[in-house]
Amino acid sequence: MPELTPVPLESIHAARERIAGTIVRTPLVRLNVENAPAEIFIKLENLQPIGSFKLRGASNLILQTSGEKLVDGVWTASAGNMAQGVAWCARRLGLRCTVVMPETAPATKRSAIERLGAAIVPVSLEQWMEVFETRHYPGMKGLFVHAFSDPDVMAGNGTIGLEILEDLPDVDAIVVPYGGGGLSCGIASAIRAIRPSTKVYAAEVETAAPLAASWTAREPIAIHYTPSFVDGIGAPRVFPEMWQLARQLLDGPLVATLPEVAGAVRLLAERNRVMAEGAGATPVACALAGRAGSGKVVCIVSGGNIDTAKLVKILQGEVP
């Protein structure tokens, strides 16, 4: 994998034009909470057609790929949301789609992928992680859409940054869920080019926070990974090429506890009537705890694809 560099602003603007007819320009609204440590806003990517921001990056890559490279269809490795983005684009273009998915993926996301017409290949967590490094899995053909480590995917994600700065030009900080790093580094590429004084933080959950551990160690390291209801972010390790990019672009990681994330899911539902999955609520949890500082803070609600049973437990005050 060649060394990754910040996504050029012109690539992000080109992505915006390319995907305009595919994605929703999502609203930026205030979080309805009093006495918060900051003026908190939420960017509602859960309102995309697939319930996640992943449609931006997937469509930007696929829509600029020549037809001959799509003859054998498309495939991806994903815990659910990128799979839905790729499958949504594939169905729209009449392409075959296959998803290599960890066996621990939630039922809600598996059902959505099948509903979109994609085939699922279930694998162990370690096999799944290996695909991100090798970009290969036996029997897979067609265009591989990497969930995060791809300049075109990050350019699509970077369009969120453009929208935030249009709606809130004086934003002080943006808090972005960190899974593989493609969302945070894509957004940060846009912010650094237009308003470098705005801080961009990566949000992780305590049970799976390899970026925070790596930041402390000053090198990418592996951690003990514990699966939780926060399934859209977190991994056993940080990928080296994304580590180098994150160190250039981000102001650091913020880590939330599972109870804090559950509380943020519940608050979003009760105060703003927003359905967020654990990953999407993690930035809100960090901001509510004061970890993103004061001033105007934007939290990326990256997705809303949460299992109903888990949501019910959270609304009842439990941590699933």
Side-chain angles (χ1 to χ4, degrees), residues 39-235:
E39 190 177 355
I40 301 174
F41 297 80
I42 47 179
K43 178 66 170 167
L44 299 178
E45 286 298 296
N46 61 308
L47 298 181
Q48 293 295 348
I50 60 164
S52 163
F53 78 95
K54 292 285 190 180
L55 189 59
R56 293 178 184 259
S59 58
N60 187 49
L61 174 58
I62 294 172
L63 290 176
Q64 62 180 303
T65 302
S66 63
E68 59 190 35
K69 294 182 179 179
L70 298 174
V71 171
D72 293 322
V74 293
W75 71 285
T76 190
S78 168
N81 283 339
M82 178 55 97
Q84 291 181 63
V86 174
W88 194 91
C89 291
R91 186 178 67 171
R92 192 178 188 192
L93 297 172
L95 304 173
R96 184 188 304 110
C97 180
T98 306
V99 178
V100 178
M101 195 170 191
E103 297 164 331
T104 55
T108 295
K109 292 180 179 178
R110 290 198 306 270
S111 298
I113 292 163
E114 291 171 341
R115 187 169 62 249
L116 288 166
I120 294 175
V121 178
V123 299
S124 69
L125 180 64
E126 193 54 43
Q127 288 175 304
W128 180 67
M129 290 289 291
E130 189 175 320
V131 174
F132 293 124
E133 295 179 354
T134 64
R135 300 170 186 250
H136 171 79
Y137 189 79
M140 293 295 107
K141 295 182 179 180
L143 175 71
F144 175 60
V145 181
H146 202 292
F148 51 87
S149 181
D150 183 283
D152 292 320
V153 168
M154 286 190 281
N157 298 340
T159 60
I160 296 172
L162 299 181
E163 294 174 12
I164 290 172
L165 291 178
E166 288 173 351
D167 293 346
L168 193 68
D170 57 345
V171 56
D172 294 296
I174 301 171
V175 189
V176 190
Y178 190 95
L183 177 60
S184 56
C185 289
I187 291 174
S189 291
I191 300 302
R192 293 284 168 262
I194 302 173
R195 195 173 193 273
S197 62
T198 297
K199 295 186 179 301
V200 182
Y201 296 109
E204 296 182 297
V205 65
E206 61 181 348
T207 52
L211 183 66
S214 298
W215 209 273
T216 299
R218 299 191 175 190
E219 62 179 348
I221 62 173
I223 60 160
H224 175 69
Y225 169 81
T226 303
S228 72
F229 76 92
V230 187
D231 55 78
I233 55 173

